[in-house]
Amino acid sequence: MTHPTLSRRTTGTAAAALTLGLVLAGCGGSSDEAGGEASGSSDPGESAPTESLPTVEADEALAAMVPDAVKEDGKLTVGSDTTYAPAEFVDADGTTVVGYDVDLFKLVAQKLDLEAEFVTAPFDSIIAGVGSGKFEAGVSAFTINPERQEVASMISYFDAGTQWTTKKGNPAEVDPDNACGKRIGVQKASIQVEDITARSQKCEADGEPAIIVEQYSGQDKVTAAVVSGKNDANLADSPVAGYAASQTNGQLETLGEVYDSAPYGYVVPKDQTELAQALAGAVQQLIDDGSYEEVLTNWGVESGGISESVVDPQVG
């Protein structure tokens, strides 16, 4: 897919964002390119719920906060990794981008009198793309953490933790608390890379075999690697792990409890303070009027709902 390049550019954040992307992508072990593509299919016939979106009206005060350079074309161009069901993924028609992230941000954009245009991009390129002006926002289940906040502003809108997934019945006998020597898949640049890398290092420090960490460019490939038996298990954000288990016709199951819950955030350039505040205000209005909960309930992820949207919340 061709990614349109916008005339609007920011200064100062692009190089830092690119550096961050390289640092995050460099953590952990082998990649899907090095380790080979998974042979199993991750396409369980996923499709969006049929319920229509709530109707919301633009808020004049919030719309007035959007910079002229952003609203001149009437849309927000959004970078998103569309392999991350149910947050954002390609519908069964092979074209339409759907998910609870997509539905919610469409309503957020409507509050600002704008239309959200989602553009597919690799996960580890999106923050850099926002910093360079390629995208006006990044919406891709980004967990808010201090490293990302150094190079971008992040607006909280959801809470999620991490959960393990394995083949039904756990034939590889994976223990999340001791996965030494197991082959574990994660998506590149995700917080799970750091998680599984630290676990592997502990294995080695204890004199046990290291975890074989397989990194993939898309979550669909992570899931497929477990379905096919190439990997023993994977780590992913909790709504994604639960959705994968429910959509693979009984081939997968979640393993252990959800842990390390943290907020997701929309990504905007660090110098776009008014846009960040406008987005937070739009999310808050959706929370207050009930349409936020309606979207999450439609996708079965209402347990991750929040009560307050904040720009750059303090996180550990």
Side-chain angles (χ1 to χ4, degrees):
M1 179 180 293
T2 301
H3 302 158
T5 301
L6 304 178
S7 60
R8 296 173 290 278
R9 297 183 63 86
T10 60
T11 59
T13 59
L18 178 58
T19 299
L20 175 63
L22 292 173
V23 168
L24 290 175
C27 298
S30 63
S31 69
D32 52 344
E33 287 80 13
E37 297 291 343
S39 58
S41 170
S42 65
D43 180 11
E46 299 158 335
S47 60
T50 56
E51 291 82 356
S52 59
L53 287 176
T55 300
V56 301
E57 299 293 333
D59 182 275
E60 291 185 8
L62 291 176
M65 296 171 64
V66 179
D68 290 340
V70 174
K71 64 185 178 185
E72 63 184 3
D73 60 359
K75 63 186 178 183
L76 274 167
T77 303
V78 182
S80 188
D81 168 22
T82 56
T83 71
Y84 217 57
E88 48 269 323
F89 62 103
V90 177
D91 203 358
D93 65 6
T95 302
T96 309
V97 180
V98 296
Y100 68 84
D101 266 0
V102 178
D103 284 354
L104 186 59
F105 198 75
K106 283 180 178 179
L107 298 187
V108 169
Q110 288 175 27
K111 279 288 181 184
L112 306 184
D113 200 22
L114 297 169
E115 178 184 347
E117 181 180 86
F118 280 78
V119 180
T120 297
F123 182 74
D124 56 1
S125 74
I126 295 169
I127 294 179
V130 171
S132 70
K134 183 175 186 178
F135 308 121
E136 290 161 317
V139 180
S140 202
F142 283 107
T143 300
I144 299 176
N145 62 33
E147 293 78 16
R148 288 169 178 160
Q149 288 176 305
E150 286 181 4
V151 297
S153 285
M154 303 190 75
I155 300 94
S156 61
Y157 69 92
F158 190 78
D159 274 342
T162 292
Q163 189 161 42
W164 292 62
T165 307
T166 188
K167 290 198 77 166
K168 187 74 172 179
N170 193 13
E173 298 183 345
V174 176
D175 178 358
D177 295 324
N178 182 8
C180 304
K182 301 299 184 181
R183 188 177 293 272
I184 309 298
V186 289
Q187 183 173 8
K188 290 180 180 178
S190 67
I191 61 169
Q192 284 79 26
V193 173
E194 182 179 352
D195 183 340
I196 197 65
T197 300
R199 291 172 185 268
S200 181
Q201 291 170 344
K202 185 179 186 303
C203 289
E204 293 184 281
D206 292 343
E208 299 290 333
I211 297 171
I212 303 167
V213 180
E214 296 272 277
Q215 295 187 49
Y216 297 85
S217 58
Q219 185 62 33
D220 52 348
K221 297 175 183 177
V222 180
T223 300
V226 179
V227 171
S228 72
K230 181 178 186 293
N231 289 164
D232 299 317
N234 70 52
L235 281 73
D237 288 356
S238 50
V240 173
Y243 189 78
S246 70
Q247 294 291 310
T248 51
N249 299 319
Q251 297 180 82
L252 299 180
E253 66 181 20
T254 56
L255 185 65
E257 300 297 322
V258 176
Y259 62 94
D260 288 348
S261 291
Y264 282 170
Y266 300 140
V267 176
V268 297
K270 209 160 185 64
D271 61 355
Q272 293 280 14
T273 55
E274 284 196 301
L275 177 59
Q277 291 295 340
L279 290 172
V283 175
Q284 191 62 52
Q285 286 194 6
L286 297 175
I287 292 171
D288 295 342
D289 70 19
S291 48
Y292 171 86
E293 184 177 8
E294 188 174 339
V295 169
L296 299 190
T297 301
N298 196 31
W299 286 93
V301 295
E302 61 272 20
S303 62
I306 61 174
S307 59
E308 183 182 13
S309 179
V310 179
V311 176
D312 288 326
Q314 289 189 338
V315 292

